[in-house]
Structures are given as structure tokens and as C-alpha cells.
Amino acid sequence: MMRTRLPRESGAGDYSRDMADKRRAFVEAQAGITTRHIGQYSFDPAELPGNIELFSGVAQIPVGFAGPLLINGEHARGEFFIPLATTEGTLVASYNRGMKLIHESGGVTTTILDDAMQRAPVFHFENARKTRDFGLWITEHFKEIKDRAESTTRSGKLKTIEQYPVGKLMYLRFNYSTGDAAGQNMVGKATFEACRWITSRCPDIVRYVLSGNMDTDKKPSRLNMLHSRGKRVTAEITIPAELMKKISGASVDLLVQQRQVSSLGAFLAGSNNNGSHAANGITAMFIACGQDAANVAESCAGLVYVEKTPSGDYYFSITLPSLIVATHGGGTGLSTQREYLELLGCHGPGKAPKFTELVAGTVLAGELSLASAVLAGDWVSSHDKYGRNR
């Protein structure tokens, strides 16, 4: 049976309204229907090379603004209205409620703790002793390896190389800082160049593969939670007890007890997050702001810690150990995505730390809101009111 092929042209001509219309018409004919919405868009398809192939139309997702989010960061300071792209009713309302609580408590404090992006090649040897000796060689020649890797990039910097020997295999994890880019492609190219140099000087290597899957692209891992991937950032706040009760409807004692229960439940489930729903806010911001949505698989990992303070108030923090964001490159330069980043003051070089802090503060708002809704008994009623498209 002959394979049915979509219409296309070579080169820049493939990125035009005419070709998008032809492909869409082709698929409509195959399905026997006519579409009305997916062919309506405001940008020039000529902007899209490097972002998509076989462009044919759009999937329009509603965006709502939550806020203002009051943030006391090192890079993001003041009030921000956060764009959330979603089709889930109650999501924007929930984050909005959490941001109200944050505002009346004086704002959320954010701190970036680490920045790392990995590529993890694996090298094969004849036996474990040669694997061990290779590890010693890597340590001795780190400076040369760093120079080779960094020769391929202006902003990527090789920080460390972790070693994980297993029998006659050596897994290496190259850790880079990547500036304002998410950096997966950047570190792949840099590590490839480094591996070419390594293999030219180590005749004992039988073969190598650029990724042995210890970089854990697009999937959660305990290793990334411990060692960081992307940005490691903490958002924290102390909420006065009376305010907590007034806005959330729950006491500090009850909230602390429920946090113990929730953390135990997450442990029993083997979850990568003992919080409630970090993926909701992260995904909604990622889609609006041109991030790689598949990075939510890693970015949604979260570590929640709470206390009742000596004065009886409620301390809450969440650490995101593997938040992967960009404000330059990728989808951040496309028309609507760029505009949402610009509304946050986060588009372009030098803005990734600010965007990181805004994502973390937004996640904290959602955690506070949902935890309160569950305890106050209005979780189901809120979804009944806002979340059903009847």
C-alpha cells in the first residue's frame, strides 16, 4: 500500500499560508469534514522554521490572567499578572485566590539555588578496570574537556562531570549552566564535541553513545531532584494565623496536620512531589509563554516543607528542583508567546532568573489555594461552579 503524503515544498516555501491551507485541505478531505477555526491565526508562517514542521494551523487555548502576584525575589520584585493558558475551569480562579492570600501576607520570597542542564553519555569498555581508569583520566583532563565543550557555545559553561561506573560501563553526567536558554540542544552539541575529543585520546573505549538516559530528558527522576536539572528554586512565605483562617477557612494546626498526611500519601504513591498540583500552574505558564511543554515532566517535581512558627503563624515553602525554563530561543520568540513574556518583563537575554521566580511564586499560590479548598470542603463545589462546561 502506498503511503499517503502531505503536500509540501522544499525550503522556505513550505512555511506559507498557501502551503498551510493546502495541507489542511488535504487532511480535511481525508477526514471528510471542513474545519473553521484551526486555520485562523495572526502571525506569519515564515516565523516558524525551527519551531515546527509541516505547519497547517493552530490550536487556540484560552488564557486568563491571575493576580496580582506580589513577589519579593532577587530578580522579580513587585506585582505581576500571570498568564495561564488552560481549558480547566477553576484553575485561574484557584491561583487567583492563592495570590490574594500571598498579597495580604506581604508577598512570596523566591530564591534560585542552582542552575544546571545535563547530557549524559555512556562509554563501553572491555572490563571494569578499564572503566575505573577512564574515570581517573576524565578527572585529570577536565580542563581540556571543558574547553572542547565550550568551544561550541557562547553561553553554555561546563561546571562538573559526574561519574557513575557500572561494571564495564561508565555513565558520565556533564553539568552545564546555559544562560537564558533551556539548553538541551546546546549541551547536546557541546557534549558531542567533548566526546569526540575524548574518544580520539582514549583507545580503550570500545564505543560510546551520546545519551545513556541518565540525563533523563522529559521524564521525572530522583537524580534530578537531588542534583538539580534546569533551575532549582524555592518559594516561601509566612502567613499570619488570623489571615490564614480568614481567607482559607482553615486553621494553622489543621493545615500542618494535613501536610503530614499529604506527604505520607505522596510517599506511599512514590510521587515526585509531596505538594498538590505544581504541574497545573507550570503547564499553564509554559504554554502561554513559549516553553517546551514536555519539560513539565521534570519541572513539576516539588518538595514542600511547612511549619507552625513560634508565634503561631504558618510557614510554607516549595522547592522546585528541576524547573526548566527559557526566555530566549525556542518558542519564546513566537508572536503570542513573546507578547506574554513581554507583559511579564521576561522576554530576551538576562530574563530567565526573573521568569524562574515568577513560575515558583505562581506554583506556591496554587499550593496554598488547593490545600485550603480541600480542607474547607469547597474543592468539589468550586469545580461544580467554575469547572463544568454545561
Side-chain angles (χ1 to χ4, degrees):
M1 181 178 179
M2 292 290 293
R3 181 176 175 230
T4 305
R5 294 181 176 272
L6 285 163
R8 66 181 307 171
E9 287 186 7
S10 60
D14 205 45
Y15 290 89
S16 67
R17 286 184 179 271
D18 180 59
M19 284 307 302
D21 292 345
K22 287 180 179 178
R23 279 190 283 266
R24 198 167 58 255
F26 177 84
V27 174
E28 288 173 353
Q30 297 291 312
I33 67 167
T34 300
T35 64
R36 186 161 63 94
H37 296 286
I38 63 177
Q40 299 184 40
Y41 48 90
S42 60
F43 55 83
D44 185 347
E47 300 175 16
L48 298 177
N51 291 106
I52 193 170
E53 300 77 42
L54 298 171
F55 171 70
S56 305
V58 295
Q60 299 180 80
I61 301 175
V63 176
F65 286 97
L69 172 66
L70 180 59
I71 189 163
N72 307 315
E74 295 175 297
H75 306 276
R77 299 190 65 84
E79 293 184 341
F80 298 85
F81 289 90
I82 306 298
L84 300 172
T86 184
T87 57
E88 180 187 356
T90 75
L91 188 144
V92 177
S94 178
Y95 279 85
N96 205 50
R97 180 170 77 158
M99 291 176 190
K100 177 182 178 182
L101 180 56
I102 287 172
H103 204 287
E104 296 197 21
S105 301
V108 55
T109 300
T110 50
T111 306
I112 297 174
L113 306 167
D114 196 9
D115 178 13
M117 180 51 64
Q118 292 80 23
R119 187 57 63 214
V122 58
F123 292 82
H124 297 245
F125 297 89
E126 292 180 1
N127 54 56
R129 290 183 183 176
K130 290 185 177 181
T131 298
R132 178 195 60 194
D133 293 344
F134 176 69
L136 297 173
W137 187 91
I138 290 292
T139 300
E140 292 171 0
H141 293 83
F142 175 78
K143 176 62 169 60
E144 297 101 305
I145 297 169
K146 176 179 171 69
D147 290 343
R148 295 303 301 183
E150 293 179 3
S151 70
T152 66
T153 171
R154 289 176 295 178
S155 53
K157 304 297 179 185
L158 180 61
K159 299 163 65 176
T160 61
I161 302 175
E162 300 167 28
Q163 299 185 21
Y164 298 92
V166 181
K168 61 180 184 177
L169 302 176
M170 174 64 86
Y171 292 83
L172 299 179
R173 238 168 91 102
F174 285 64
N175 293 288
Y176 298 82
S177 61
T178 58
D180 293 290
Q184 290 100 320
N185 293 334
M186 178 195 300
V187 304
K189 183 177 181 180
T191 304
F192 178 66
E193 179 61 27
C195 287
R196 290 178 60 191
W197 185 85
I198 291 168
T199 54
S200 71
R201 283 155 177 79
C202 296
D204 287 340
I205 296 171
V206 176
R207 65 181 179 277
Y208 87 95
V209 179
L210 186 58
S211 175
N213 219 16
M214 277 194 76
D215 30 36
T216 65
D217 265 336
K218 311 296 172 69
K219 45 193 170 287
S221 76
R222 180 64 61 180
L223 185 61
N224 288 340
M225 293 177 70
L226 292 172
H227 289 272
S228 305
R229 179 170 169 84
K231 306 292 192 292
R232 189 180 194 93
V233 57
T234 293
E236 58 188 338
I237 194 169
T238 299
I239 303 172
E242 289 303 314
L243 181 61
M244 193 77 217
K245 180 70 174 178
K246 172 188 171 185
I247 294 183
S248 72
S251 69
V252 172
D253 287 332
L254 189 57
L255 285 162
V256 171
Q257 182 187 58
Q258 179 58 28
R259 176 47 48 198
Q260 292 174 318
V261 172
S262 295
S263 291
L264 178 58
F267 170 75
L268 287 171
S271 176
N272 69 339
N273 192 322
N274 68 325
S276 300
H277 66 146
N280 259 336
I282 294 172
T283 304
M285 286 190 75
F286 273 22
I287 292 173
C289 297
Q291 309 300 299
D292 185 338
N295 285 335
V296 173
E298 298 149 276
S299 298
C300 70
L303 306 165
V304 170
Y305 175 75
V306 306
E307 281 184 3
K308 181 180 180 180
T309 69
S311 59
D313 299 325
Y314 186 54
Y315 170 84
F316 184 99
S317 75
I318 183 164
T319 297
L320 304 175
S322 48
L323 179 64
I324 302 172
V325 299
T327 57
H328 183 65
T332 65
L334 297 181
S335 301
T336 59
Q337 292 82 353
R338 182 180 65 249
E339 288 182 355
Y340 283 119
L341 285 170
E342 288 173 343
L343 288 170
L344 295 171
C346 288
H347 181 259
K351 302 296 186 178
K354 182 179 181 180
F355 188 65
T356 296
E357 293 185 343
L358 290 176
V359 174
T362 299
V363 167
L364 184 137
E367 294 296 305
L368 291 174
S369 182
L370 183 54
S372 301
V374 171
L375 284 176
D378 56 8
W379 187 19
V380 173
S381 62
S382 295
H383 274 272
D384 277 343
K385 183 177 180 180
Y386 295 109
R388 289 190 176 183
N389 186 347
R390 294 186 177 89

